[in-house]
Amino acid sequence: MRAPRILPLLRPRSLCWRPTGTESGSAPRRFSAVAGGAAPSQRLDLRGIYPPLTTPFTSRGEVDCHRLEENMRLYAEVPFRGFVVQGSTGEAPYLTQQERLEVVRRLRQAVSKEKLLLAGTGCESTRATIEMTAQMADKGADAALVVTPCYYRGSMTSAALIHHYTEVAEASPIPVILYSVPANTGLELPNEVVLTLAQHPNIVGLKDSGGNITRLGLLVHRTHHEDFQVLAGSAGFLLASYIVGAAGGICALANVLGTPLCQLESLCHTGSWNEARELQRRLIEPNIAVTYKFGIPGLKQAMEWFGYYGGLCRAPLLPLSKTQVTELHQDFSSNGWL
């Protein structure tokens, strides 16, 4: 069952899919060239809602580009600013380098040029991240979303993180977005690291999934003059993030309830706070269900109920049990979405 449409939808765009190939806030940043890279001179406006796309698989566990195409045709009806590919929700750690690059190539061919394509390029080493970022740019990514290296988290001091991101930004031919997701990495980018890196001309923003609104508001305030944009990393605190000045959100729930999340953005921009508050309340339990409670298997299951293809995850992630499916359904139905 598809969710009711509560916003006028954008006119669907024609997608050119080739199976054998691939408002308010601070002003968008204008880039100048940086040493070692080829930073673009045009503006990059991050404001808006982005779904971090899931990766569909065939019954044999291969990346299913046909199913990805079907999902993208449906997402073309939703007024997203763009799409995030090969992030945490895309099961990027479970994909080979070749698979990750091919998915980005295919999506760039399928998605309108008006839509931003933000590609996860973070690896554990600085060298590997630089290489992956260059390759993702070559496949058509508009910006690189770089998660914190965390395997040796005890050694990831502020100095080490600043050095890592600076080296990546200097070498990157596309803008870099910092990505702090402590629930997955066990490491939160320290405030002083973000504030230092925000001064770099090729580091344009931060996706913060930690959920600390005080921190998020502080970073928005302290980077206001740096032309640096902060994006909420979850639908559960999207309203609060807009209140303190966030530019948008990269939200797993947008894979399922994209139109309501875009409506929430619109309500915030027009100052319709009562309606925004009510909508946010209805999104909290479904968001918890597809993130903290059941994770990607829960998200993919929910996608099936709303007309998208979710399918199985790649091992070692397991599908939900019958009991979990029932509980997940209740989290959506009790809030009026099913």
Side-chain angles (χ1 to χ4, degrees):
M1 177 179 176
R2 298 295 301 276
R5 297 183 178 183
I6 50 182
L7 263 187
L9 297 179
L10 293 185
R11 183 178 180 180
R13 301 184 185 280
S14 174
L15 300 184
C16 181
W17 181 270
R18 294 188 176 94
T20 58
T22 162
E23 159 135 292
S24 64
S26 60
R29 170 170 296 195
R30 183 181 297 278
F31 296 98
S32 57
V34 294
S41 59
Q42 73 273 19
R43 294 181 177 183
L44 183 71
D45 185 355
L46 295 176
R47 292 175 293 180
I49 300 297
Y50 304 76
L53 297 171
T54 59
T55 302
F57 298 103
T58 67
S59 59
R60 299 180 61 184
E62 304 297 327
V63 175
D64 193 334
C65 291
H66 174 67
R67 294 293 193 175
L68 186 60
E69 170 193 5
E70 292 178 348
N71 284 345
M72 296 311 296
R73 286 182 176 138
L74 294 173
Y75 289 143
E77 300 179 357
V78 184
F80 291 131
R81 176 67 182 94
F83 303 92
V84 171
V85 60
Q86 293 307 302
S88 304
T89 305
E91 298 175 67
Y94 294 169
L95 271 62
T96 67
Q97 180 176 348
Q98 291 72 27
E99 287 174 327
R100 292 177 66 181
L101 293 171
E102 179 64 8
V103 168
V104 173
R105 185 175 74 88
R106 296 247 182 171
L107 281 171
R108 183 70 281 172
Q109 291 186 351
V111 174
S112 165
K113 292 295 184 181
E114 297 176 5
K115 303 289 187 179
L116 289 180
L117 191 61
L118 314 181
T121 68
C123 302
E124 282 301 308
S125 77
T126 303
R127 179 185 290 268
T129 303
I130 289 173
E131 179 180 339
M132 179 65 80
T133 300
Q135 291 176 326
M136 289 290 196
D138 183 63
K139 300 303 180 184
D142 295 302
L145 185 67
V146 182
V147 71
T148 50
C150 63
Y151 188 83
Y152 299 108
R153 76 173 53 84
S155 298
M156 291 299 99
T157 61
S158 293
L161 291 168
I162 290 171
H163 180 267
H164 171 73
Y165 280 106
T166 300
E167 290 292 302
V168 172
E170 292 289 333
S172 176
I174 54 178
V176 170
I177 302 168
L178 312 176
Y179 181 18
S180 180
V181 54
N184 289 355
T185 64
L187 176 68
E188 182 173 70
L189 271 177
N191 290 352
E192 65 270 16
V193 171
V194 176
L195 296 175
T196 298
L197 293 171
Q199 301 174 52
H200 194 285
N202 204 31
I203 297 178
V204 300
L206 163 72
K207 177 190 175 184
D208 195 312
S209 299
N212 184 334
I213 296 301
T214 300
R215 161 185 156 92
L216 196 150
L218 174 65
L219 294 175
V220 170
H221 173 63
R222 294 287 301 278
T223 61
H224 177 71
H225 297 296
E226 301 297 340
D227 197 11
F228 181 85
Q229 295 174 298
V230 177
L231 300 169
S234 176
F237 51 88
L238 186 59
L239 171 59
S241 300
Y242 275 121
I243 289 174
V244 298
I250 299 174
C251 309
L253 189 62
N255 285 281
V256 178
L257 297 177
T259 297
L261 286 177
C262 290
Q263 183 187 26
L264 180 56
E265 175 197 25
S266 178
L267 292 171
C268 291
H269 287 331
T270 59
S272 304
W273 300 114
N274 289 336
E275 295 92 335
R277 183 166 56 248
E278 178 58 30
L279 180 53
Q280 175 68 89
R281 288 171 177 168
R282 295 175 58 215
L283 294 169
I284 290 174
E285 287 184 308
N287 181 72
I288 291 173
V290 302
T291 55
Y292 302 109
K293 191 188 294 186
F294 300 122
I296 301 170
L299 176 61
K300 285 190 166 183
Q301 175 61 65
M303 289 173 66
E304 300 282 345
W305 296 330
F306 288 85
Y308 304 104
Y309 180 80
L312 297 175
C313 296
R314 181 167 276 184
L317 291 178
L318 295 175
L320 303 185
S321 67
K322 291 183 178 180
T323 299
Q324 290 174 321
V325 171
T326 299
E327 186 176 349
L328 175 67
H329 194 279
Q330 177 65 20
D331 287 329
F332 279 86
S333 61
S334 65
N335 289 279
W337 300 114
L338 286 172

